[in-house]
Amino acid sequence: MTSERVRGPYVLVAVILLAAALRLWGAACLPLSGDEAYHWEWSRHLAGAYYDHPGMTAWLIALSERVWPGGGELAVRLPAMGCLLLTTALACGLARDMARSRALAPSAVEQAGLIGAALVFFVPLPAALSVYMSTDPPLMPCWLGAAWALFAAIERGRTRSWLLCGVCIGLAASTKLISLQLLGAIFAFLVMTRAGREWLRRPQPWLALAVALIAASPMLIWNAAHDWMTFRFNFDIRQRDQALSAWHPLVFVAGQAATLTPGFLALALGACFARSARARPAMAAVLACAVLPLAFFVLVSFRRKIGVHWPAAPWLVSFVLLSVSLAAREPWTQRSWARWAWRSSWGLTIVVLLIVQAFMSIVDHVARLDLVAGQPRAVLRNLYGWPEVGQAAAAAADALRARPDCAGVFFISNQYGTAAALSFYTPDRPSVHLWSAVRNHGRNYGYWDDWSALRGLDAVYVVKRPLAEWEEPFMREHFAEVLAVESVPIIDDGEERNTFYLVRCRGFDGREPFPTTP
């Protein structure tokens, strides 16, 4: 064994850990986004699922905050990095296993693992998800773990591998319902291939399905008790008002090329369509976990916009296939276009990651720039002032409590992200209620907010924009007294960076402000 082969894995591990530390350090410079704060709010109301998504993300955040109390934003985001590190290790293991099954030389097996790990950790799309805590980071290791377990189950016929695949599918379903595509892809493979149909005559796949249902049971039990709202929201409510469009698929493809780099996208697709990817039943099963969900996203893109991050998990499987193709030096990977795509994409990836790292480090300076139509200053203004407005809201609540006739104070805001962020950044982290008409997201506040219990209390209303013309009159319908709107300017180095607006209200009537049925 050469010294290069000995050093290779250790060098990659060291680089990955250094990059992880730098990303977390940069992420500490940024406040929580509205969605991240909303997911943190879930963690204070732990359940098997929520209106918007299953509950895995909330449980991971709650665990992180229990381990690191007072960790602030990093405690919320740390599970995202942990999920990507786990995904990276799984990619390395799956790539090595697949390379070994093809009887590649030990050096090629090791190379496949290193390439798979490097792609998963450094390609911009999964890299971004390592410092942004949403439902996507925990989905990635569950998806890749299911693909690896499926490969081992079909390659070696082990019952325990089938059961592990079921566990991963159940955990994936407990993270994000988009993971049902994974179950569909595996079922399609079992039905459409001779090897798959042979397995359907055996008990193992059915045992795996039973295990998946058990692993997903907290999510399923919650939904059964709440009119299957997570399913209804994801498969009905948020899918309404769609129309055929030739523009959306172009935007989808462009978004994938931008976040994966065009070269890696082309190479990943090349690996999926290579003969080696379907030469063995186990390889074909892994291929199904990548290609079928990606094809589904393409079809759906003709009717609606696709979030750029939605296909992240199936792309990771295609990166593992690519790593094995490269390690095996398949003929197509030696062509000039493939070599150019490989080198240019790594160069572009390094540039992008350095730019993002620099941005997180100097975001304060970037937010002062007015380059084009007030940007980026206008869009970055919301990075500023959350601790200050939290302090202002707490002071306003204290002023209301100081009145002898005050029975108590609660907080309200008009956007789910603002409500959650205000709660996170206000001292003692009080509950903040959502004072808003029904929108697609944030509807879980409807399960948490008990307006009748707040009858007779005073309130502090905080928003990010000047109040609309209808807001003050509407509030007067529900409060005995509504005081004047107060602006909360966020001043930094003598410059106003952001402005929030605050209203003190007295004597709530206890009526639900925006009655609706979910």
Side-chain angles (χ1 to χ4, degrees):
M1 181 178 292
T2 65
S3 60
E4 288 78 8
R5 284 182 57 193
V6 173
R7 289 197 300 266
Y10 294 104
V11 170
L12 181 60
V13 169
V15 171
I16 285 175
L17 293 178
L18 176 61
L22 289 173
R23 289 181 197 175
L24 290 173
W25 174 74
C29 302
L30 302 175
L32 296 183
S33 69
D35 281 341
E36 286 179 303
Y38 183 45
H39 298 145
W40 168 80
E41 190 66 57
W42 290 356
S43 73
R44 303 207 298 171
H45 302 81
L46 288 174
Y50 302 91
Y51 186 99
D52 317 69
H53 289 292
M56 179 71 73
T57 298
W59 287 88
L60 290 175
I61 293 173
L63 176 61
S64 180
E65 288 211 313
R66 175 65 65 88
V67 173
W68 190 10
E73 293 93 342
L74 281 184
V76 175
R77 290 172 173 147
L78 195 59
M81 179 59 73
C83 287
L84 186 62
L85 290 173
L86 176 58
T87 307
T88 301
L90 291 170
C92 179
L94 175 55
R96 289 169 61 91
D97 201 4
M98 293 173 71
R100 197 178 292 111
S101 73
R102 292 179 56 178
L104 297 185
S107 60
V109 171
E110 181 179 287
Q111 185 181 31
L114 296 179
I115 293 173
L119 286 171
V120 166
F121 191 82
F122 290 108
V123 168
L125 177 56
L129 295 176
S130 69
V131 290
Y132 186 85
M133 190 54 190
S134 66
T135 54
D136 294 282
L139 176 62
M140 295 190 296
C142 294
W143 194 297
L144 208 54
W148 189 4
L150 179 65
F151 174 83
I154 294 174
E155 182 73 12
R156 291 182 279 276
R158 293 175 179 171
T159 299
R160 65 187 182 192
S161 295
W162 279 107
L163 299 181
L164 181 58
C165 182
V167 170
C168 291
I169 292 172
L171 293 178
S174 298
T175 297
K176 195 171 188 177
L177 291 186
I178 223 169
S179 63
L180 294 181
Q181 294 180 46
L182 174 63
L183 181 61
I186 295 173
F187 180 74
F189 165 80
L190 293 174
V191 170
M192 296 172 63
T193 65
R194 181 190 302 177
R197 290 190 292 272
E198 290 177 357
W199 273 110
L200 286 177
R201 299 187 186 99
R202 306 178 190 179
Q204 286 88 340
W206 306 107
L207 289 174
L209 179 60
V211 170
L213 292 173
I214 294 172
S217 59
M219 180 270 292
L220 296 173
I221 291 170
W222 185 93
N223 272 276
H226 293 83
D227 199 23
W228 301 97
M229 283 311 307
T230 314
F231 289 84
R232 289 174 55 196
F233 171 70
N234 282 276
F235 299 123
D236 176 21
I237 295 171
R238 73 183 303 181
Q239 308 301 333
R240 296 172 185 172
D241 301 324
Q242 299 180 24
L244 287 174
S245 170
W247 176 247
H248 290 165
L250 297 177
V251 173
F252 169 66
V253 173
Q256 297 307 294
T259 54
L260 298 172
T261 76
F264 284 147
L265 184 148
L267 289 168
L269 292 177
C272 289
F273 289 102
R275 288 184 179 180
S276 60
R278 54 186 183 274
R280 303 165 64 92
M283 297 283 286
V286 173
L287 177 65
C289 296
V291 171
L292 295 182
L294 291 174
F296 178 80
F297 280 120
V298 172
L299 291 175
V300 172
S301 70
F302 283 92
R303 292 195 58 85
R304 64 160 299 158
K305 294 180 180 178
I306 302 294
V308 70
H309 56 288
W310 293 1
W315 277 121
L316 300 186
V317 179
S318 73
F319 288 159
V320 173
L321 292 168
L322 172 59
S323 69
V324 177
S325 293
L326 290 168
R329 297 187 178 277
E330 294 176 4
W332 73 270
T333 65
Q334 305 304 306
R335 295 174 183 169
S336 57
W337 74 266
R339 290 178 176 273
W340 181 87
W342 176 255
R343 294 166 182 166
S344 64
S345 291
W346 273 116
L348 183 58
T349 293
I350 292 171
V351 169
V352 169
L353 293 179
L354 289 176
I355 290 175
V356 172
Q357 190 69 49
F359 166 78
M360 291 191 293
S361 304
I362 61 170
V363 63
D364 186 63
H365 300 285
V366 177
R368 299 173 187 269
L369 300 178
D370 183 355
L371 300 178
V372 180
Q375 301 297 350
R377 177 174 177 170
V379 72
L380 295 179
R381 67 193 300 268
N382 285 325
L383 296 177
Y384 293 92
W386 290 103
E388 291 85 348
V389 75
Q391 293 284 351
D398 289 341
L400 287 170
R401 293 189 189 98
R403 300 174 68 102
D405 57 345
C406 177
V409 179
F410 64 98
F411 297 84
I412 50 179
S413 188
N414 66 344
Q415 294 179 331
Y416 75 92
T418 306
L422 180 65
S423 178
F424 186 84
Y425 288 103
T426 298
D428 298 327
R429 294 182 171 178
S431 295
V432 179
H433 304 271
L434 184 60
W435 187 271
S436 170
V438 170
R439 297 169 182 162
N440 251 4
H441 293 282
R443 295 195 191 190
N444 218 84
Y445 276 96
Y447 295 112
W448 301 331
D449 294 339
D450 182 2
W451 297 103
S452 62
L454 304 174
R455 184 189 305 274
L457 303 187
D458 299 343
V460 176
Y461 182 50
V462 179
V463 293
K464 296 192 297 183
R465 297 287 185 269
L467 271 64
E469 185 176 343
W470 62 269
E471 285 188 88
E472 282 193 73
F474 180 77
M475 296 182 76
R476 295 183 191 281
E477 295 177 12
H478 289 272
F479 289 92
E481 182 181 8
V482 177
L483 304 182
V485 178
E486 306 171 33
S487 65
V488 184
I490 307 302
I491 308 298
D492 182 39
D493 290 338
E495 180 182 359
E496 185 172 319
R497 309 296 296 277
N498 198 3
T499 304
F500 293 86
Y501 299 87
L502 181 152
V503 183
R504 308 181 202 195
C505 310
R506 303 191 65 245
F508 179 53
D509 65 5
R511 290 182 297 142
E512 185 173 350
F514 300 92
T516 184
T517 54

